[in-house]
Amino acid sequence: MSRYAEVYAASQRDPEAFWAEAAQDVSWYKRWDKVFDPYAGQYGRWFPGAECNTAYNCLDRHVEKGRGGQKALIYDSPVTKSQRSYTYSELTLEVATLAGVLIDIGVKKGDRVIVYMPMIPEAVMAMLACARIGAVHSVVFGGFAATELATRLDDAKPVAILSASCGIEGARMVAYKPLLDKAIELAKHKPNACLVLQRPMLEAALTSGRDFDWAEAVKLAKANGRKAGCATVAATDPAYILYTSGTTGQPKGVVRDTGGHMVALKWTMKNLYGIEPGEVFWSASDVGWVVGHSYICYAPLLHGATTIVYEGKPVGTPDAGAFWRVIAEHNVSALFTAPTAFRAIKKEDPEGKLIGNYDLRGFRTLFLAGERADPETIKWAERHLGVPVIDHWWQTETGWAIAGNPVGLGMLPVKYGSPTVPMPGYTIDVLDDKGKPVAAGQTGTLGIKLPMPPGCLPTLWGNDARFRKSYVEDFSGYYSTSDAGYRDADGYVYVMARTDDVINVAGHRLSTGQMEEVVAQHKDVAESAVIGVADDMKGQLPAGFIVLNAGVTRDEREIEAEVVKLVRDVIGPVAAFKNVMVVKRLPKTRSGKVLRGTMRAIADGEPWLMPATIDDPAILEEIADTLKGRGMGSKASPSV
């Protein structure tokens, strides 16, 4: 029997008592004056008056309790053919030493530090070193475009940048230092110092007077016994800034506070993910994204688990069995990744034959998030892995799951297409255009009733007005997720699309996500994207792009016709689903999200900007050529 109902009811009945109890699992230097102050900040603040330190809770606390010999972090890099691991004692020493180096190059409590790193252990060390001295880190995805990095420099105004000479994206080497130098040249704000880790596969030229060699600085600090202690920070002080794309093109700096962040993440490891201290938890994400912040760096270490930093891909490093190798070699209990990773694996190994090459007996649970997990992908994973597959829904802004299936409290029945139910702290209503809750089964905007629970953003960096405009002004008393969906009679949440992915076909509001769900049922389809294309007669018409499974040799037009029929049979003629195109691949961000908005702009012949996070810009040329072949779209050249 699941304990979810009683636990959720307790969080609703007395939120302050609920989170005060959860906060007992965190070490505090000073207790809070009150659990929640509804008059502080934009919608209230959690644990005002409390003092704490995140790095202490992630590292020193476990060492002091006699668990310093346990593995804290495992680095697995198929692209460099190397592995190494750090115990809690070893990681504490590395972080304390790096924190001392940061102080020596001029970083103080409250200063901002940009972390521009590949998926290596030093990236996690950098984050924790900032937390140790009370600096505010802002991690920017390694290899991010210079112009985008420059906007973050000007917004965060960092004192220092921590970077590496290069990253490795599959088989491709990405030189970071030229991008970093260009960003500093473009930015109005100039950092005082850059600490650069030289990787042996591609070393970088350092700028005299500004750049410092990471390894040399750490070596010297160790020789001198230079270590920094844990600074005392307020629970309401910012732990980090993480930039997310804004609709205006100007990135939004999501702020995460220190105390509530720890409390929420620590609670999720046992209750949502079902992980015990000492077990191995692997989040196959990147530290540049929110999942990497929450579930590569912070939550596993807060909980005393072992985390994995994986420098590789789900396929191609070397094959579609890469994930299974990591799980088997490191005895992973739970994997958390994006559905797109599994669609890539499914495309290359449709029958799951490579799974049989590895001993996965210790593997218990697969968690998916970051985009809609289509039922066919979930069923494929269930069938071939034989473990529960848990879809859950959250956002950069929330920092942890809004809705999920709480393994630690006892799983609820799975309903395909639903991330299950709201987590404690979240009250979710489906709202109409006037902000009124609608009945079960009706679609609207998914809103979270204020106040948000601990761990969610209190505001945007330096921009309270933009926070209000972006999130809380549309619907009084609610945070707007900008996701469209509904709740069924059992209270299960269904997230169908971003609100701008609900298309209007001759007055009928239709979810492109629902159409993609149906398209995924075709046996030859590996993944798909459905967008709304402008139409003079009906306002919009859906257009589908499908990628076929590896080894499919059938006539593509025949498959396209079958997909059209499938959607018409399941959804009905109202969908007006007639345009389907086979493509080699879909344009995605480097975290795996399909760039539907850019595809729609190309299809409609509108001006568009090259997405800063795009994995491979050449894919947009391929999409444009496919559309042109069907008499649609514009040339694939972004507007300036």
Side-chain angles (χ1 to χ4, degrees), residues 336-353:
F336 176 0
T337 191
T340 191
F342 266 73
R343 285 193 285 267
I345 294 167
K346 175 172 168 275
K347 177 179 182 292
E348 296 300 317
D349 185 19
E351 302 305 316
K353 292 177 181 177

Side-chain angles (χ1 to χ4, degrees), residues 39-297:
Y39 303 106
Q42 300 306 300
Y43 60 83
R45 298 301 299 271
W46 290 95
F47 307 109
E51 295 177 348
C52 52
N53 184 279
T54 300
Y56 175 82
N57 276 278
C58 286
L59 299 171
D60 308 66
R61 180 173 63 145
H62 303 305
V63 176
E64 290 170 6
K65 290 183 177 179
R67 298 177 57 233
Q70 180 203 309
K71 281 184 183 177
L73 185 150
I74 296 168
Y75 169 60
D76 187 302
S77 174
V79 295
T80 61
K81 298 180 173 56
S82 63
Q83 294 183 13
R84 63 183 190 264
S85 64
Y86 298 83
T87 65
Y88 270 95
S89 290
E90 290 167 341
L91 189 57
T92 302
L93 173 61
E94 295 294 337
V95 169
T97 304
L98 181 59
V101 170
L102 288 182
I103 292 172
D104 292 343
I105 62 173
V107 180
K108 305 184 301 297
K109 177 178 172 180
D111 285 344
R112 274 77 62 209
V113 176
I114 291 282
V115 178
Y116 186 65
M117 301 281 291
M119 280 296 290
I120 54 179
E122 289 82 359
V124 172
M125 294 172 190
M127 297 165 75
L128 291 167
C130 290
R132 192 172 192 87
I133 63 174
V136 181
H137 67 67
S138 183
V139 182
V140 179
F141 192 98
F144 216 48
T147 52
E148 295 297 323
L149 178 56
T151 63
R152 287 145 177 80
L153 295 179
D154 283 336
D155 195 68
K157 297 180 172 51
V159 168
I161 299 175
L162 302 187
S163 189
S165 57
C166 69
I168 306 170
E169 291 289 326
R172 183 167 56 104
M173 194 87 66
V174 181
Y176 285 3
K177 192 58 168 45
L179 295 168
L180 178 59
D181 289 341
K182 181 65 175 176
I184 293 172
E185 178 189 325
L186 292 171
K188 294 176 183 175
H189 174 83
K190 312 294 182 184
N192 297 336
C194 296
L195 196 62
V196 181
L197 183 71
Q198 297 281 21
R199 303 191 74 187
M201 62 285 302
L202 182 66
E203 294 198 358
L206 301 184
T207 302
S208 178
R210 186 196 71 194
D211 297 345
F212 298 88
D213 185 290
W214 183 310
E216 288 182 4
V218 168
K219 182 179 178 180
L220 180 62
K222 284 182 176 177
N224 294 332
R226 176 75 169 108
K227 293 186 290 186
C230 295
T232 298
V233 301
T236 51
D237 280 348
Y240 68 76
I241 305 164
L242 181 55
Y243 287 93
T244 183
S245 298
T247 53
T248 63
Q250 181 65 26
K252 296 181 290 190
V254 169
V255 173
R256 195 80 61 215
D257 64 7
T258 299
H261 177 237
M262 286 196 288
V263 172
L265 292 189
K266 179 71 171 72
W267 184 90
T268 64
M269 287 302 291
K270 167 68 175 172
N271 296 286
L272 174 55
Y273 297 103
I275 295 295
E276 297 292 341
E279 292 188 320
V280 181
F281 184 84
W282 177 26
S283 177
S285 180
D286 188 283
V287 291
W289 311 120
V290 69
V291 172
H293 282 59
S294 294
Y295 292 103
I296 294 175
C297 182

Side-chain angles (χ1 to χ4, degrees), residues 405-633:
N405 198 333
V407 173
L409 298 178
M411 277 185 60
L412 297 165
V414 170
K415 293 188 181 185
Y416 295 116
S418 171
T420 314
V421 290
M423 288 296 94
Y426 293 99
T427 303
I428 300 174
D429 284 326
V430 181
L431 307 172
D432 64 18
D433 292 343
K434 296 180 180 178
K436 302 297 183 185
V438 300
Q442 292 185 19
T443 299
T445 297
L446 295 166
I448 299 169
K449 190 170 286 187
L450 295 173
M452 304 275 271
C456 294
L457 82 167
T459 190
L460 294 173
W461 179 254
N463 205 333
D464 291 343
R466 190 175 183 195
F467 168 82
R468 292 190 295 270
K469 180 174 174 55
S470 297
Y471 301 110
V472 299
E473 284 186 355
D474 286 351
F475 304 108
S476 178
Y478 288 91
Y479 163 92
S480 174
T481 66
S482 294
D483 279 319
Y486 64 94
R487 296 187 72 181
D488 69 12
D490 296 324
Y492 277 55
V493 178
Y494 290 77
V495 186
M496 300 311 298
R498 296 295 287 173
T499 48
D500 57 4
D501 286 333
V502 174
I503 63 174
N504 195 319
V505 180
H508 298 281
R509 288 173 59 80
L510 300 171
S511 164
T512 55
Q514 183 184 9
M515 295 182 202
E516 288 175 12
E517 232 173 63
V518 176
V519 172
Q521 294 173 18
H522 193 286
K523 62 182 177 62
D524 293 333
V525 174
E527 58 180 337
S528 68
V530 177
I531 62 172
V533 178
D535 179 75
D536 291 339
M537 183 69 69
K538 296 194 174 184
Q540 285 181 297
L541 285 175
F545 300 81
I546 58 175
V547 179
L548 303 181
N549 286 316
V552 173
T553 57
R554 296 176 55 213
D555 179 77
E556 292 181 357
R557 290 301 178 105
E558 187 177 317
I559 295 171
E560 290 172 359
E562 291 171 357
V563 169
V564 168
K565 183 178 185 301
L566 185 61
V567 173
R568 289 178 69 84
D569 287 347
V570 175
I571 298 179
V574 68
F577 192 78
K578 298 174 184 177
N579 290 316
V580 177
M581 294 152 269
V582 172
V583 292
K584 292 179 181 178
R585 49 193 183 153
L586 297 173
K588 297 177 182 177
T589 67
R590 291 161 73 175
S591 65
K593 292 186 179 180
V594 177
L595 292 162
R596 293 175 179 84
T598 307
M599 294 170 70
R600 183 169 54 243
I602 294 172
D604 286 347
E606 295 177 350
W608 55 279
L609 296 172
M610 180 66 71
T613 56
I614 192 167
D615 185 39
D616 184 353
I619 302 176
L620 294 176
E621 292 279 0
E622 298 169 13
I623 295 296
D625 289 344
T626 300
L627 285 163
K628 186 178 178 182
R630 304 294 174 94
M632 304 163 63

Side-chain angles (χ1 to χ4, degrees), residues 296-469:
I296 294 175
C297 182
Y298 289 115
L301 298 178
L302 286 166
H303 195 52
T306 302
T307 190
I308 293 180
V309 174
Y310 175 69
E311 189 181 28
K313 300 287 186 182
V315 298
T317 58
D319 56 29
F323 276 16
W324 324 134
R325 176 194 63 78
V326 174
I327 290 169
E329 284 188 14
H330 304 302
N331 195 30
V332 172
S333 296
L335 167 64
F336 176 0
T337 191
T340 191
F342 266 73
R343 285 193 285 267
I345 294 167
K346 175 172 168 275
K347 177 179 182 292
E348 296 300 317
D349 185 19
E351 302 305 316
K353 292 177 181 177
L354 292 173
I355 295 172
N357 296 340
Y358 301 94
D359 181 357
L360 304 183
R361 283 177 292 182
F363 183 51
R364 292 200 306 267
T365 327
L366 168 65
F367 294 90
L368 301 174
E371 58 182 328
R372 289 193 71 251
D374 58 283
E376 294 308 310
T377 297
I378 293 176
K379 291 174 187 176
W380 183 90
E382 285 177 336
R383 186 165 63 249
H384 292 291
L385 291 172
V387 300
V389 179
I390 308 299
D391 181 19
H392 58 323
W393 167 53
W394 51 302
Q395 300 180 331
T396 299
E397 289 84 351
T398 65
W400 61 287
I402 303 167
N405 198 333
V407 173
L409 298 178
M411 277 185 60
L412 297 165
V414 170
K415 293 188 181 185
Y416 295 116
S418 171
T420 314
V421 290
M423 288 296 94
Y426 293 99
T427 303
I428 300 174
D429 284 326
V430 181
L431 307 172
D432 64 18
D433 292 343
K434 296 180 180 178
K436 302 297 183 185
V438 300
Q442 292 185 19
T443 299
T445 297
L446 295 166
I448 299 169
K449 190 170 286 187
L450 295 173
M452 304 275 271
C456 294
L457 82 167
T459 190
L460 294 173
W461 179 254
N463 205 333
D464 291 343
R466 190 175 183 195
F467 168 82
R468 292 190 295 270
K469 180 174 174 55

